Amino acid sequence: MRSDVASLPGSPERPNEDWVAATPPTPGRGGAVVLLDGVTPPAGDDGCVHGVPWFTAQLGGALTELSASRTDMPLPGILSLAIRRTADAHRDTCDLSHVRTPQATVVLARWDEVSVEHLVLSDSVLLLESPDGAVRAVLDDRLDRVPDEILRSLAATDRLRNREGGFFTAAADPAVAARAVTGTTPRAEVRSLAALTDGASRWVELFTEGDWTDCLTVLREEGAPGLLNRVRTLETADERAGGIRRWKLHDDASAAFVELLSPRT
């Protein structure tokens, strides 16, 4: 197995709100990838004294540990327990009922010698590559279905946040784990996998430099840092050309790539 992870902050003036980790298999157990994209709150009160980087570190650490230690538990259960642990860590100091309490998107993948499990919640991306090179993107597209005019309004967005008919993120309610996109694939049918926050998936989704198969090729040949550097170059060039295709010039960007089978397998 070969794994590679990288993460870049969107700005040197702000802490990185992403979390990414890849754990190698241990004897009798499989490996895992955990990727979180913390949701940057608008200026003002969010009911928490800690902040998003603290939250993603707490949740990411819990997901990483539980993915390895609770192999008996399906991934939605892992996410539910990790959310509960994280909420308990600041329940006495923070207002967890606040609609903007710290929250994050989630990609979680775990594998052993038999199967590859996956879970995706909100707009980060998981890519699964088969031995013949075909790439399948696992997406939770509920946020994409929200019209841009609603997302431009903080109040309107808040009314859809973690609500039926809107979109879901990992915040303080463990029940949200049941809303995730999940599945299982035989291990022999997965050559490699990759997880991308939306700051990294811009290479495909914003700049259309290639499709998901091309993105996997970049990750294999240049590693996760190579993909992120490509995104930064495109963002800078777009700004100089007067591009207006996004709200942020640079977003926190994270990627993980794991090769499970030899490319010749």
Side-chain angles (χ1 to χ4, degrees):
M1 190 199 90
R2 176 172 73 93
S3 65
D4 184 28
V5 300
S7 187
L8 292 175
S11 167
E13 285 78 39
R14 290 180 56 87
N16 193 337
E17 294 174 338
D18 288 355
W19 166 282
V20 59
T23 61
T26 56
R29 297 181 180 180
V33 164
V34 178
L35 178 132
L36 307 178
D37 183 353
V39 178
T40 304
D45 178 38
D46 62 5
C48 182
V49 301
H50 299 97
V52 176
W54 176 90
F55 173 81
T56 53
Q58 292 286 318
L59 182 61
L63 286 169
T64 303
E65 185 270 315
L66 289 168
S67 294
S69 66
R70 293 300 307 270
T71 55
D72 60 311
M73 183 178 287
L75 295 188
I78 295 289
L79 177 58
S80 179
L81 182 54
I83 290 173
R84 186 179 302 280
R85 282 189 183 181
T86 303
D88 288 345
H90 66 144
R91 192 180 305 281
D92 293 338
T93 57
C94 305
D95 177 12
L96 303 189
S97 67
H98 197 294
V99 69
R100 298 176 191 161
T101 191
Q103 50 204 271
T105 74
V106 181
V107 174
L108 183 58
R110 182 174 62 180
W111 59 90
D112 56 22
E113 66 278 3
V114 175
S115 63
V116 179
E117 305 169 78
H118 68 260
L119 177 152
V120 176
L121 185 67
S122 200
D123 61 346
S124 291
V125 181
L126 175 69
L127 303 179
L128 298 173
E129 182 190 27
S130 66
D132 65 4
V135 175
R136 173 165 63 102
V138 181
L139 305 168
D140 175 0
D141 65 354
R142 281 169 287 201
L143 183 58
D144 293 334
R145 299 179 208 164
V146 179
D148 287 344
E149 57 268 24
I150 291 179
L151 294 176
R152 283 191 285 268
S153 166
L154 296 178
T157 301
D158 283 346
R159 286 193 291 271
L160 293 178
R161 192 183 303 276
N162 288 317
R163 296 288 188 272
E164 191 64 47
F167 60 95
F168 295 90
T169 56
D173 181 6
V176 78
R179 304 287 188 168
V181 177
T182 61
T184 302
T185 307
R187 169 70 178 267
E189 296 179 12
V190 181
R191 182 169 97 179
S192 70
L193 59 87
L196 311 171
T197 62
D198 64 349
S201 65
R202 285 179 170 191
W203 192 81
V204 173
E205 296 180 310
L206 179 64
F207 294 109
T208 61
E209 289 291 298
D211 59 18
W212 295 121
T213 301
D214 299 321
C215 187
L216 247 297
T217 298
V218 172
L219 286 165
R220 175 173 285 113
E221 295 179 353
E222 302 178 22
L227 177 66
L228 301 191
N229 289 335
R230 281 179 176 238
V231 171
R232 288 291 186 259
T233 298
L234 290 165
E235 290 167 337
T236 300
D238 188 53
E239 180 193 31
R240 290 172 179 168
I244 54 172
R245 292 182 285 178
R246 59 189 177 276
W247 297 345
K248 299 178 183 177
L249 170 59
H250 302 303
D251 194 5
D252 297 339
S254 300
F257 173 73
V258 178
E259 190 102 63
L260 297 180
L261 302 174
S262 165
R264 289 186 289 274
T265 300

